[in-house]
Structures are given as C-alpha cells and as structure tokens.
Amino acid sequence: MSILLVTGIEGAGNCADVIGKQLEMEVVAADGRRAALALLRQREFAAVVVDETITACDPAAAEAIWDRSGLAIPMQINFAVSGAARLVREIRSALRRREREQELARRAAHAAVESELKSTVAGLLLQSQLALSSSDAASPVAERLKLVATLAGDLRRQLSATAGTRA
C-alpha cells in the first residue's frame, strides 16, 4: 500500500520522498483536488493526508477527496507548520492505530463466529440426544441420530480445544 499526500506546497515531491524513505512505503504527492481524485480513481491508498489549507480554502474539494478515499485513513495536517519528521510520526501513528483496530475487529469477528458455532453445535447435540431418548433405539433413524450426536460431540470438543489453545 502507499500513501497519498494532497498539498499545494512547493517541494511536496521532496517531502513525499523523505516520508517514503522513513516509512519504507511509496508516498505519492498530488498538488490539488483534481490530481488527488484522479489518483484515488486509479488505486487504493493506506492513508490520504490532506493539507489543512486545502480543507480551509475549499471544503468541497476536501469532502470529495474523503468520499473517494475508500478504506484509506483520512488525515488532515497543516503542512505549513509540520515538518517531514512530524508528518512521519503522525502517519506512522495512524497506521499503527489502524492495524490495532483491524486486529481487534478480527478477534471480535472470530469470537462471534466461534460463539455462534458453539451454540449451534450445542443445540444440535441436545436435539439429537432428545430424539434418541424418545425413539426406538434399534431403528435406522436412531442409528443416524447416534451418528449425528457423535459428530456434534466431536465438533464441540474440537471447538473447546481450539478455544483452550488460544486462551
């Protein structure tokens, strides 16, 4: 992934080069709304950093850029008072924050799916055992119910074992 800097300041290309070397990422500089929107139509970015002067002078341009930025981290920084070192710190911090948020979201989704699976397996196990207790033990249906109960029990043990290894 790369980073998009949107600014009209002179030397933006040099600034992008310095930031790119520091972050070990490709950094592309766009000198205004049109250039930024063209780049956003062409590819995805990890972060879109817009100069505060653009947002102050042309809020509609900034809004168009944010609307097109997709999953990129939107950042607004005053390039006139921020040096390359500060830009690097801000961008690095935002990227790390995004990584932590994505990891937490992955964990939450995994826990939700695991919980749903455990609930479904418990219901399947319970219902098959109830059906077994109320039916003729020698019938072919009872044999299949025993197999379903065994499989559900095995799946429940596997789910419990994987939850135990993560904890």
Side-chain angles (χ1 to χ4, degrees):
M1 279 277 175
S2 54
I3 297 167
L4 175 62
L5 298 181
V6 185
T7 182
I9 67 167
E10 203 171 303
N14 293 336
C15 183
D17 291 341
V18 170
I19 294 170
K21 287 176 185 166
Q22 294 274 329
L23 295 175
E24 298 178 349
M25 294 179 77
E26 180 187 13
V27 179
V28 180
D31 67 352
R33 176 181 64 168
R34 284 188 180 158
L37 292 174
L39 286 165
L40 287 167
R41 278 191 290 276
Q42 293 171 6
R43 59 193 225 191
E44 297 276 327
F45 291 92
V48 176
V49 184
V50 178
D51 192 340
E52 215 169 69
T53 58
I54 291 175
T55 60
C57 295
D58 191 359
E63 194 64 35
I65 292 168
W66 299 140
D67 288 345
R68 291 269 189 184
S69 64
L71 296 176
I73 302 167
M75 298 179 69
Q76 181 176 311
I77 297 177
N78 188 333
F79 282 62
V81 296
S82 299
R86 180 171 178 198
L87 287 169
V88 168
R89 281 193 310 273
E90 295 284 339
I91 294 168
R92 185 176 282 138
S93 175
L95 291 172
R96 285 185 185 143
R97 194 170 41 253
R98 171 66 59 91
E99 286 175 14
R100 284 191 302 272
E101 290 169 355
Q102 287 176 335
E103 180 58 31
L104 289 173
R106 271 192 289 278
R107 287 181 188 172
H110 185 272
V113 168
E114 185 175 10
S115 175
E116 185 67 29
L117 272 173
K118 283 182 178 180
S119 175
T120 301
V121 168
L124 182 60
L125 186 57
L126 177 66
Q127 291 301 321
S128 60
Q129 288 172 341
L130 285 172
L132 274 171
S133 67
S134 66
S135 68
D136 181 15
S139 76
V141 172
E143 288 303 313
R144 290 190 179 113
L145 283 173
K146 285 180 189 176
L147 178 60
V148 168
T150 301
L151 291 172
D154 291 345
L155 185 55
R156 185 179 200 183
R157 280 187 292 282
Q158 289 173 351
L159 286 170
S160 294
T162 58
T165 58
R166 275 197 333 265

